[in-house]
Amino acid sequence: MSFPGQQQLPPQDQAPPEPRSLGLGLGPPAVSSGDASPDEGLMEDLTVENKALEQLAQGLLSHYLPDLERSKQALQELTQNQVVLLDTLEQEISKFKECHSILDINALFTEAKFYHNKLVNIRKEMLMLHEKTSKLKKRALKLQQKRQKEELEREQQREKEFEREKQLTAKPAKRT
């Protein structure tokens, strides 16, 4: 494939042609118009080469520019997709954090339920102990009353025995 102005490679048995200047100051120095030399057509060649260079540049641009534009568009779409993905990722992270906070809340509720049950059990035990102490106090009061009654009866019994002994004891008769 060859472009206009592109040099063809010489066959193996021929010598390569002299390189031509592209008007960049790299070739042989330009000859003034007052000199009569065989390079009079150099200026003409430069304008032809400039035109060829422009055509080559236009051809190169027309060949690669659509691909570059598509690549630019694809990169913009990728960038937009990345932004969307980042936003989605941030939302998922926040949902994940919410799930962890919900798990923490669930753990707190579980712990609260555990301690509530513990308090209910302690309350039941306290009520049971209160009933037992009330029964024990009543029983202790009854026992105390019973002892006091028994003591009183013993005391009365002693007094009766003492009185009886007193009466059984011989008394001297009074002289009159």
Side-chain angles (χ1 to χ4, degrees):
M1 180 175 184
S2 64
F3 293 103
Q6 181 181 9
Q7 291 182 347
Q8 296 276 333
L9 287 176
Q12 296 283 345
D13 55 343
Q14 293 181 356
E18 291 282 328
R20 293 171 41 179
S21 171
L22 296 176
L24 301 174
L26 298 174
V31 179
S32 65
S33 60
D35 292 341
S37 74
D39 291 335
E40 284 182 3
L42 187 61
M43 289 302 223
E44 215 174 89
D45 285 344
L46 282 178
T47 57
V48 169
E49 285 183 16
N50 282 342
K51 285 182 185 177
L53 187 63
E54 283 183 30
Q55 288 175 349
L56 280 172
Q58 288 296 328
L60 189 65
L61 283 176
S62 67
H63 182 70
Y64 288 110
L65 193 59
D67 289 338
L68 290 174
E69 288 294 328
R70 282 193 297 271
S71 297
K72 181 180 177 183
Q73 185 67 27
L75 284 174
Q76 286 175 344
E77 287 179 25
L78 283 174
T79 304
Q80 289 174 348
N81 289 341
Q82 277 184 337
V83 169
V84 169
L85 283 174
L86 284 174
D87 289 342
T88 307
L89 187 62
E90 286 177 6
Q91 289 173 357
E92 292 300 319
I93 289 172
S94 66
K95 286 179 186 177
F96 187 68
K97 287 180 181 177
E98 286 176 22
C99 287
H100 274 297
S101 64
I102 289 172
L103 290 176
D104 291 342
I105 290 171
N106 286 339
L108 286 175
F109 276 119
T110 304
E111 192 174 352
K113 186 177 179 181
F114 171 76
Y115 284 115
H116 175 72
N117 289 337
K118 207 170 187 180
L119 284 172
V120 167
N121 289 338
I122 289 172
R123 184 170 183 228
K124 284 179 184 177
E125 280 186 43
M126 287 178 68
L127 287 173
M128 189 175 63
L129 289 174
H130 177 70
E131 288 177 17
K132 283 183 179 180
T133 54
S134 296
K135 287 179 183 178
L136 285 174
K137 282 180 183 177
K138 285 180 184 177
R139 186 174 172 201
L141 183 63
K142 284 181 183 178
L143 286 174
Q144 187 179 7
Q145 288 174 349
K146 187 177 178 183
R147 274 192 207 131
Q148 286 176 350
K149 188 177 179 183
E150 285 175 359
E151 248 182 67
L152 185 62
E153 286 176 359
R154 272 190 248 135
E155 189 64 37
Q156 287 175 352
Q157 186 73 22
R158 276 189 218 136
E159 282 181 18
K160 282 183 185 177
E161 283 180 21
F162 184 68
E163 284 293 322
R164 202 169 178 193
E165 278 184 33
K166 214 178 183 187
Q167 286 177 359
L168 290 177
T169 325
K171 293 183 185 174
K174 289 185 184 177
R175 291 191 200 173
T176 41

